[in-house]
Amino acid sequence: MTSLPFVLRRLGHSLLVIALTYVFVYAVLFFLPGDPVASRINNPQNPIPADQAGAILEYYNLDKASIEQFWISVTRLFSGDLGYSLATGRPVADLIQQGLGDTVALAAVALLFTIVLALGVALGAVFAPFAPLRKLFAVLPVLALSTPGFLIGLLLLQVFAYQLGWFSSIRDEGVKSLLLPAITLAVGVNAPIAQVLIQGLRKAYGEPFVTVLRAQGVPEYRIITGHVIKNGSIPAVTLLGLTIGDLLAGSVIAEAIFSRAGLGFVTEQAVRAQDGPVVQAIVMIVAIVFTLVNLVTDLVYPLIDPRIRTAPKPVAVTVAPTQKAAVS
Amino acid sequence: MSRQTAVTRRWTPVRRATPIAAAALAAAMLLSSCAATPAAGGNSTEKNGGTLVYLDAELSSNTQLQSSGTWQDSAYIQNIGDRLIFRDPETLELKPWIAESWEISDDGLVYEFSIRDGVTYSDGTDLDAASVKRNLEWQAYGDAEKGIPANNWFPKVESVESDDAEQTVTVTLAAPSAPFLAVLSYWRTALAADATIDASIEKQSQISGFIGSGPFVVESETYGKEIVFTKRDGYAWAPPGVENQGEAYLDEIVVLPVTEDSVRLGSLRSGEADLIRYVQPSEEKTLEDAGLTVVGVQGIGNANVWDVRQSAPFLDDINVRKALQVGIDREQIVDDLYTDNWDAASSIITPGSIGYRDQSEKLAYNPEESNRLLDEAGWTERNADGIREKNGEPLSILTYVDVYDSTAKPLFQLVQWQLKQIGIDLEIKETDYASYVTTLEDPNVGVRRNGWPEADPLRLTVNYHSAYTNSLNLPTPDPKLDALLTDHITAIDPDERAAILGELQDYVVDQAYLLPILNDTQVFAYQPHIRDFEWGAEARPWFYNTWTEKK
């Protein structure tokens, strides 16, 4: 059983990770050359002379020492103020709120497609009646992995928006607008999950308990749906947790192609402009989401596999290099 | 009252897909050398209504007037903010607008503007003399508490007084300023309501925070998704002489930022969009063949030039600079990389700008002369790559690909190839959008792209005078350059100013301080049902007279 001290310890680790992430990102952004205010002052299209630039630097506290700027940033954070985007003047909280809503909706649909696609491909690759068909299914993840996401997006737009006219390439049509970008995201993201799931299902299907179940007269479909999938999906579930990061990263491309102003788009714009407060906030959100997902994944294991729940104590498991390669 | 001399506008022909349209265009060109688009006919009843969907290549980032610099924001402001003075895009004359008349003292120090009656901002407040006074003070002095700088185009202003009874505003300058009226016609001096001036810089940076008196108003904005402009109900203060004196024809303009080139093109071709900005030269013909209109828009102001920065190695030698000047084959650049919508720069400012003086002969490609100059400068040895050397050092010049121009990379590469023929190594590096400005502060960067359409050659002074931003990084100020850059500002007689600007262009080209490359061109493509797509003198779209046949 997952114990409270274990959960608290994991939470403590998570907070430390988040705090260190904040410091690290702040330092990186501080030491990298360029920021929106410097760009504004030295913009060749509208250079601002030094005597006028002073007022701008003072307003943004950029005339202060680095440690002082950091302290201002931290105290603002603890008062719940994420500040303003230096590039656009918009409250960071508003940008995050707008972007997060769009991206969560996109990621949720993409995750659903990912699960369906990965499961479908894996089942096909392991249980399809003919060997060539199984091989074909097994090749699909490799094909998906080696196809750039932007190409899939542009192809989908070409066929379904420009040629057939079923979707708008530029306007927000509500839920309908989620489908093409979600497919774009899911095709790329599901491939490693499908590969791991194929391995897991093959391994589970060869386990002695399957023979026992067959001997007990359990129908084959019940063996697969009720036992093999459950046993063979644990590594894939771990990977599914990590997929959240892939979905967020992939959303940068998908949102650019499908003109969606989600968190990926906000991230791309903020990174492009080195918009410190926005980048900082987004990294923090991603760090928090990752930490929570990892925590939840750890807590979900025992629910899927009772052996983990009944183990006398945690056992360190060394992952072989080949397995690492398969899940990375 | 003095007026700036009218100058003939240089413009890029509108190219239509059909021979009939091309013939009509030729006729229109004969009739007028400065029409923005061919006359499209239609009465105001049939023109009224409809929506224009405009896909811009970049998204609105900062609309704070004094500190903004992005092209797209300037284009939006131009349509929602009126100015005191109107620059007629056809004749380039400066004409009355919100200032229905003005007088200038003989010494050029005192300007008295009479403010038009009955003008209001879109929030219902009056655009009267008091509001104009506040705007001018705000522009002249900035708002340091909010981090808002002064408008760096503004002359030094001693005082601004308003007479509420007479509805006049009197501006007293510290020194005569020839560009002052032109500055007051520029988008950056769009008149803003108190609510905007009172707002924080953050609010002003968002387009929904700009409350103007223009023919369009911001209905809504969703960051990164869309900006919806609607026509201003009751708009009745267009510049005198403009055919439309009422409300704009379009009900609505929906601007969608679509940064992906292929999506903009696909959406236009599939009919989802009416107008797009930024078309790669290689795509122009495809769009024309599909029945769309492609137009290259040029305006007055600075040409696209490369600043030659003398802090970088070897560039303090005039022979090296002059070798660069004639070692670049501008015609080849246009022929090989661009289309008829583009043309080579013929000076450091564009044709039509006040004082423009053609420098084409001095800029003509002449590799023999380049070689002679470099030999004379002692760059006689060549390394295995054919690059000239002196004292064991290769003649290498560092630059970064311009991030503001989507066509820049092939241009830089072609110039690199051209310069290699005369033994100069143009070392091209790339950096990202965010780091570009800071990276190019490196004194070792030898050439940097600069120059955009603007209201007045005043930009030359802001950029290159040693007391301003000294973009040439001269080791010591050049007194002659500084004097010319100062004198054209204080020369209030237009003829005298034009002569000084002519001399300035001669001097800058003779010294090879700048390398003119192209005349800046914005390429738009639009559907045939969009009529009277026009633009201002500085090449920003002006949707006031635009209408659509598709309701």
Side-chain angles (χ1 to χ4, degrees):
Chain A
M1 198 65 149
T2 307
S3 64
L4 184 63
F6 172 72
V7 173
L8 290 176
R9 196 165 60 244
R10 285 298 316 273
L11 275 175
H13 288 166
S14 304
L15 287 174
L16 183 64
V17 166
I18 290 166
L20 289 175
T21 305
Y22 188 84
V23 175
F24 178 74
V25 173
Y26 189 92
V28 167
L29 287 170
F30 190 86
F31 289 112
L32 275 178
D35 63 66
V37 176
S39 296
R40 198 182 304 169
I41 291 169
N42 299 314
N43 183 350
Q45 296 183 49
N46 184 37
I48 295 171
D51 58 326
Q52 293 291 323
I56 301 177
L57 294 172
E58 192 179 338
Y59 179 80
Y60 290 105
N61 293 314
L62 295 171
D63 57 337
K64 294 187 168 61
S66 55
I67 190 72
E68 204 175 341
Q69 290 183 45
F70 178 72
W71 181 245
I72 291 169
S73 165
V74 171
T75 49
R76 273 189 186 159
L77 186 67
F78 276 102
S79 64
D81 179 7
L82 293 176
Y84 289 87
S85 156
L86 295 178
T88 67
R90 289 167 171 79
V92 174
D94 288 2
L95 288 174
I96 302 288
Q97 191 183 10
Q98 180 198 315
L100 201 59
D102 270 22
T103 300
V104 165
L106 175 61
V109 178
L111 191 63
L112 186 68
F113 286 163
T114 298
I115 294 168
V116 171
L117 276 172
L119 198 59
V121 167
L123 287 173
V126 179
F127 303 113
F130 309 108
L133 198 58
R134 288 199 294 276
K135 279 186 182 169
L136 180 69
F137 274 108
V139 164
L140 288 178
V142 181
L143 195 66
L145 262 183
S146 51
T147 308
F150 72 88
L151 189 62
I152 295 165
L154 291 176
L155 280 173
L156 290 173
L157 272 182
Q158 183 65 37
V159 174
F160 295 104
Y162 306 150
Q163 300 293 328
L164 298 173
W166 294 354
F167 296 87
S168 169
S169 55
I170 48 176
R171 304 300 289 265
D172 191 345
E173 299 177 295
V175 176
K176 192 177 160 192
S177 294
L178 289 171
L179 298 181
L180 295 184
I183 292 170
T184 305
L185 262 179
V187 167
V189 168
N190 94 88
I193 297 170
Q195 284 177 321
V196 171
L197 199 52
I198 290 169
Q199 297 293 328
L201 293 182
R202 277 182 185 153
K203 186 165 177 287
Y205 201 49
E207 293 284 334
F209 75 86
V210 174
T211 312
V212 172
L213 288 170
R214 264 195 209 117
Q216 288 174 343
V218 178
E220 196 69 12
Y221 79 91
R222 288 280 304 277
I223 296 174
I224 293 170
T225 55
H227 301 276
V228 175
I229 290 179
K230 205 170 174 184
N231 277 277
S233 62
I234 289 175
V237 169
T238 308
L239 205 54
L240 203 60
L242 300 174
T243 296
I244 300 295
D246 291 342
L247 289 173
L248 288 175
S251 69
V252 175
I253 305 287
E255 288 173 356
I257 293 169
F258 293 94
S259 305
R260 298 180 58 82
L263 202 60
F265 172 84
V266 173
T267 307
E268 189 249 335
Q269 291 296 323
V271 169
R272 194 166 176 249
Q274 264 169 254
D275 194 346
V278 182
V279 174
Q280 188 93 19
I282 290 170
V283 172
M284 294 311 295
I285 286 169
V286 172
I288 291 166
V289 168
F290 254 93
T291 312
L292 283 178
V293 167
N294 280 333
L295 187 64
V296 170
T297 308
D298 281 353
L299 299 178
V300 162
Y301 281 149
L303 303 178
I304 298 176
D305 189 343
R307 287 171 298 186
I308 295 173
R309 191 165 52 213
T310 55
K313 58 182 178 182
V315 178
V317 178
T318 305
V319 180
T322 49
Q323 285 174 291
K324 274 186 182 169
V327 297
S328 60
Chain B
M1 181 184 292
S2 66
R3 290 274 171 82
Q4 193 165 305
T5 305
V7 283
T8 307
R9 182 183 183 203
R10 178 78 166 84
W11 71 297
T12 302
V14 176
R15 300 201 306 157
R16 306 293 293 237
T18 64
I20 294 171
L25 170 65
M29 286 174 69
L30 284 174
L31 289 170
S32 165
S33 65
C34 49
T37 52
N43 57 43
S44 67
T45 308
E46 73 170 307
K47 289 178 179 176
N48 282 329
T51 295
L52 179 130
V53 177
Y54 170 32
L55 307 189
D56 206 338
E58 295 162 299
L59 69 161
S60 174
S61 62
N62 178 10
T63 50
Q64 204 293 310
L65 293 183
Q66 292 96 317
S67 55
S68 170
T70 59
W71 195 94
Q72 64 276 18
D73 287 317
S74 66
Y76 307 149
I77 292 288
Q78 166 146 304
N79 286 279
I80 57 176
D82 295 332
R83 276 82 71 197
L84 283 176
I85 312 288
F86 176 64
R87 167 89 74 178
D88 187 321
E90 295 187 6
T91 66
L92 297 178
E93 279 182 292
L94 294 167
K95 294 180 172 178
W97 194 353
I98 300 303
E100 59 187 4
S101 66
W102 59 86
E103 290 182 5
I104 307 171
S105 65
D106 291 341
D107 60 5
L109 293 176
V110 181
Y111 288 67
E112 186 180 286
F113 299 99
S114 291
I115 306 305
R116 189 170 179 162
D117 276 338
V119 181
T120 57
Y121 293 107
S122 59
D123 65 355
T125 55
D126 290 333
L127 197 177
D128 54 12
S131 173
V132 171
K133 172 181 188 291
R134 189 163 186 216
N135 269 274
L136 293 177
E137 288 176 333
W138 181 55
Q139 292 274 353
Y141 309 133
D143 190 343
E145 275 186 22
K146 293 178 183 165
I148 294 171
N151 182 337
N152 62 26
W153 283 64
F154 251 57
K156 191 170 181 203
V157 172
E158 293 284 348
S159 67
V160 184
E161 302 298 335
S162 65
D163 183 332
D164 294 343
E166 295 294 322
Q167 284 298 299
T168 58
V169 176
T170 304
V171 182
T172 305
L173 306 181
S177 173
F180 190 41
L181 291 180
V183 168
L184 295 176
S185 76
Y186 197 36
W187 67 269
R188 200 183 290 284
T189 51
L191 296 160
D194 283 349
T196 294
I197 299 174
D198 289 336
S200 65
I201 188 171
E202 286 81 12
K203 185 67 185 162
Q204 290 184 35
S205 300
Q206 301 169 45
I207 193 152
S208 54
F210 182 85
I211 297 164
S213 61
F216 291 94
V217 296
V218 180
E219 176 74 19
S220 64
E221 185 206 11
T222 310
Y223 173 69
K225 280 189 177 174
E226 66 172 17
I227 305 170
V228 179
F229 298 96
T230 52
K231 72 176 177 186
R232 168 82 190 275
D233 291 335
Y235 185 81
W237 42 87
V242 172
E243 187 186 333
N244 180 14
Q245 287 293 311
E247 296 173 357
Y249 298 126
L250 291 166
D251 283 341
E252 195 179 57
I253 302 168
V254 178
V255 178
L256 304 168
V258 177
T259 52
E260 185 65 34
D261 283 356
S262 61
V263 177
R264 273 198 318 284
L265 290 174
S267 303
L268 182 71
R269 294 189 62 176
S270 68
E272 274 210 78
D274 298 310
L275 169 72
I276 64 171
R277 179 167 77 95
Y278 266 9
V279 175
Q280 289 292 335
S282 57
E283 298 285 353
E284 291 182 19
K285 185 165 186 318
T286 313
L287 290 175
E288 286 175 339
D289 290 346
L292 299 157
T293 305
V294 178
V295 59
V297 180
Q298 295 180 350
I300 57 169
N302 289 9
N304 280 175
V305 298
W306 286 7
D307 297 345
V308 183
R309 304 166 82 233
Q310 296 193 25
S311 54
F314 324 127
L315 293 175
D316 55 347
D317 185 336
I318 187 171
N319 279 356
V320 175
R321 298 200 301 272
K322 290 180 89 164
L324 289 169
Q325 188 79 283
V326 294
I328 296 172
D329 186 349
R330 295 160 182 82
E331 297 306 324
Q332 186 193 28
I333 292 171
V334 173
D335 291 346
D336 288 4
L337 302 180
Y338 294 93
T339 66
D340 295 345
N341 282 322
W342 305 71
D343 54 17
S346 50
S347 182
I348 58 174
I349 54 177
T350 57
S353 302
I354 182 172
Y356 164 78
R357 188 175 289 176
D358 191 346
Q359 307 287 324
S360 299
E361 280 187 21
K362 294 180 195 168
L363 301 174
Y365 181 52
N366 190 346
E368 295 78 18
E369 176 66 2
S370 291
N371 283 320
R372 189 192 69 75
L373 288 161
L374 293 171
D375 287 343
E376 191 178 298
W379 295 94
T380 49
E381 304 295 320
R382 299 232 184 191
N383 66 18
D385 296 326
I387 301 301
R388 289 171 181 271
E389 288 186 339
K390 187 162 76 172
N391 304 325
E393 277 192 292
L395 181 47
S396 185
I397 294 164
L398 174 63
T399 190
Y400 283 81
V401 175
D402 174 33
V403 295
Y404 303 116
D405 176 4
S406 61
T407 69
K409 195 169 178 182
L411 185 153
F412 276 62
Q413 287 170 333
L414 182 52
V415 174
Q416 181 185 48
W417 181 85
Q418 291 173 349
L419 294 180
K420 193 175 178 191
Q421 310 312 305
I422 56 170
I424 296 177
D425 170 34
L426 183 68
E427 185 188 0
I428 300 175
K429 288 188 177 176
E430 291 189 63
T431 185
D432 59 89
Y433 188 85
S435 313
Y436 180 74
V437 167
T438 311
T439 304
L440 268 75
E441 290 298 297
D442 178 357
N444 291 311
V445 175
V447 288
R448 177 181 76 168
R449 188 261 190 170
N450 210 336
W452 288 268
E454 304 197 81
D456 191 271
L458 167 63
R459 167 63 73 220
L460 294 171
T461 306
V462 174
N463 281 2
Y464 304 117
H465 194 291
S466 62
Y468 286 80
T469 43
N470 188 23
S471 294
L472 298 176
N473 283 6
L474 295 179
T476 53
D478 177 340
K480 182 168 181 185
L481 177 67
D482 282 353
L484 289 167
L485 289 170
T486 305
D487 291 348
H488 85 92
I489 302 248
T490 52
I492 51 177
D493 173 58
D495 293 335
E496 185 192 350
R497 185 175 189 222
I500 297 169
L501 282 165
E503 193 183 342
L504 173 65
Q505 291 162 79
D506 287 343
Y507 185 67
V508 168
V509 172
D510 288 344
Q511 292 293 316
Y513 281 152
L514 302 175
L515 308 177
I517 306 290
L518 296 172
N519 289 325
D520 190 87
T521 303
Q522 294 287 333
V523 178
F524 294 86
Y526 56 94
Q527 302 284 358
H529 59 256
I530 297 300
R531 314 304 298 266
D532 293 343
F533 171 57
E534 297 176 352
W535 50 91
E538 299 92 16
R540 273 84 175 173
W542 167 241
F543 294 114
Y544 179 51
N545 293 314
T546 304
W547 58 286
T548 174
E549 291 175 346
K550 198 169 132 185
K551 308 296 183 194

